[in-house]
Amino acid sequence: MCVRSNTEKSTNKLYEEDVAISTDTHQRLFCTPGCEAVYFWHLLRHGTRYPNVKEIDELTKGVPPIQARLRESAAAGRAALCPADVERMLTWKLNATKAHGNMLTVQGERDMEGIAGRFRSRFPAFFTKHAHADQFQIRSTDAQRTQASAKCYGERLFLEPIDIPTPLAEDPLLKFYAMCPLWERAVDKNASARAEVDAFIDGEVMRASLERVSKRLGFEETLTYKEVEVLWEACRYDQAWEPTQDSPWCAAFDDEDLMVFEYRADVKYYYVTGYGNAVNLQLGCVLVKDIIDKLSAHESLGKSGAMYFTHSTAIHMTLAGLGIGRDAVPLTADNFATLERDRRWSISRLGPFAANLAAVLYECPEGENEKYKVRMYLNEEPVPVEGCSDADALCSWSDFRNRFAAAESCSLDFCNATRPNGSSPMLCSSLTWATVTALILRLISVLR
């Protein structure tokens, strides 16, 4: 069973996280009059985790020297923080060791239980009719955090212990990117893919933020980016682990600083896992194809749904494959002022811990124009599909399938393609990537 179920709450009760919603809202967002949910497809990022081993090492070594400097600045009366915040910073200790690296936290278990409970309460007829885990395809990657997430989610959803099938060491569906040598060479291990985020880190906007944080802490010398990044990591992990409490280190950042560091992360992932790279867009078809395949063949599958537990990279690429979170202009080092508050590609909204994307297939009365309709949910909110005119994010199955027709021929053959000399046919400079991707996005906007 999910570990927390044994120690905190039984699995046959709604948790506090399972928020109540009004009948009208429920009808509008999760039902369609006269139609019945017949297939449930759900892709989830694992719940809140501990930092990885490298991050734990950096936090363990990086925070104490800053605490020592803060103690001196506070004693000299230079810290521009309230005494309570200073005291909390000075007494802060990382509640993790290297043995915890990348493992699911208690809050991560809560994340999964909450999501499962809310979907169960929103589709009561469906999950009463399809009440057992063996009626669904449940699949996770081989990481502890995804397997534990699947366990907690499944036991909350089905109100009984479940077995998770043994995961694949190399999963072409849930870790397709890790099986693409071209992506690893041209993007993941290619410094040019991080050129824009590196330029932003070295730019004036980030320098101003480092100065503000340093002055707030009362330091006479400005902290380096690496030093402030350590504080940012302490802030965000603490906040993720205890979302109802303010993290001590978050007090070092004002709203502008938070947006600067969030933009930095968004620029990084825009190029490494999102719209900023043509390879990412090609990889984004894998799980889109699975949606089409599963919903098309749902009557013959012998299953009532599919539930997948994976990682942020798969989430980001799938969203890009669906056209979700796409901005009219690329995120670059120079357009923070333009996109600071008005951008769609925002990882904190699109792909946080426990991010999830659901596709629900409805069977409708014969009097309807079409028998089947589909609605997608991103992080439990309906998300419109381009090209679909139905209200409340509903989409006729034919419109949905036509919209993503290209995904049906999805292939990763390009991943192993090389030039005669052995180099990648798509290994380009960051400028070339930006140009190619901009052209692709313009073509997409014209064709759609």
Side-chain angles (χ1 to χ4, degrees), residues 331-349:
L331 275 65
T332 69
D334 299 324
N335 61 7
F336 173 73
T338 303
L339 297 173
E340 176 181 4
R341 299 178 184 275
D342 185 23
R343 65 180 181 277
R344 294 179 178 178
W345 184 257
S346 171
I347 295 305
S348 63
R349 292 192 291 272

Side-chain angles (χ1 to χ4, degrees), residues 6-45:
N6 289 327
T7 58
E8 296 187 26
K9 299 182 179 180
S10 63
T11 54
N12 61 353
K13 295 180 180 179
L14 288 177
Y15 304 145
E16 303 96 309
E17 297 95 332
D18 300 340
V19 296
I21 53 178
S22 71
T23 301
D24 289 344
T25 300
H26 184 282
Q27 285 294 118
R28 181 171 61 83
L29 300 183
F30 297 93
C31 303
T32 186
C35 299
E36 177 187 3
V38 294
Y39 195 85
F40 183 76
W41 186 98
H42 208 184
L43 176 71
L44 302 97
R45 183 188 179 191

Side-chain angles (χ1 to χ4, degrees), residues 100-247:
H100 293 101
N102 264 337
M103 296 182 68
L104 194 71
T105 65
V106 170
Q107 180 56 44
E109 295 179 356
R110 294 192 190 106
D111 296 338
M112 292 294 108
E113 292 164 348
I115 292 168
R118 288 188 292 272
F119 271 106
R120 180 179 175 85
S121 68
R122 290 161 179 169
F123 294 95
F126 178 82
F127 286 110
T128 297
K129 183 177 181 180
H130 310 285
H132 302 288
D134 59 9
Q135 295 175 269
F136 295 81
Q137 178 188 3
I138 301 176
R139 182 169 174 173
S140 79
T141 71
D142 62 350
Q144 183 275 341
R145 58 193 180 279
T146 49
Q147 294 180 73
S149 291
K151 194 81 166 173
C152 290
Y153 170 100
E155 294 187 355
R156 175 62 192 93
L157 188 65
F158 301 112
L159 307 181
E160 62 186 12
I162 66 168
D163 293 321
I164 306 299
T166 302
L168 300 173
E170 295 183 340
D171 193 322
L173 182 65
L174 301 186
K175 289 192 75 174
F176 49 87
Y177 51 91
M179 300 179 67
C180 184
L182 176 60
W183 179 75
E184 291 191 344
R185 291 194 306 271
V187 185
D188 191 39
K189 296 179 181 179
N190 185 0
S192 66
R194 292 167 172 77
E196 290 294 338
V197 70
D198 289 344
F200 182 71
I201 289 170
D202 292 337
E204 183 54 41
V205 171
M206 181 60 75
R207 281 196 293 272
S209 180
L210 302 183
E211 290 174 2
R212 287 193 299 269
V213 172
S214 300
K215 289 180 179 179
R216 200 168 293 118
L217 296 172
F219 297 167
E220 296 178 315
E221 293 184 5
T222 301
L223 290 166
T224 66
Y225 167 74
K226 284 295 184 182
E227 289 172 322
V228 176
E229 184 185 33
V230 166
L231 301 186
W232 166 259
E233 295 292 337
C235 161
R236 75 183 185 97
Y237 275 113
D238 261 1
Q239 201 63 62
W241 297 336
E242 298 290 347
T244 61
Q245 300 179 21
D246 292 333
S247 167

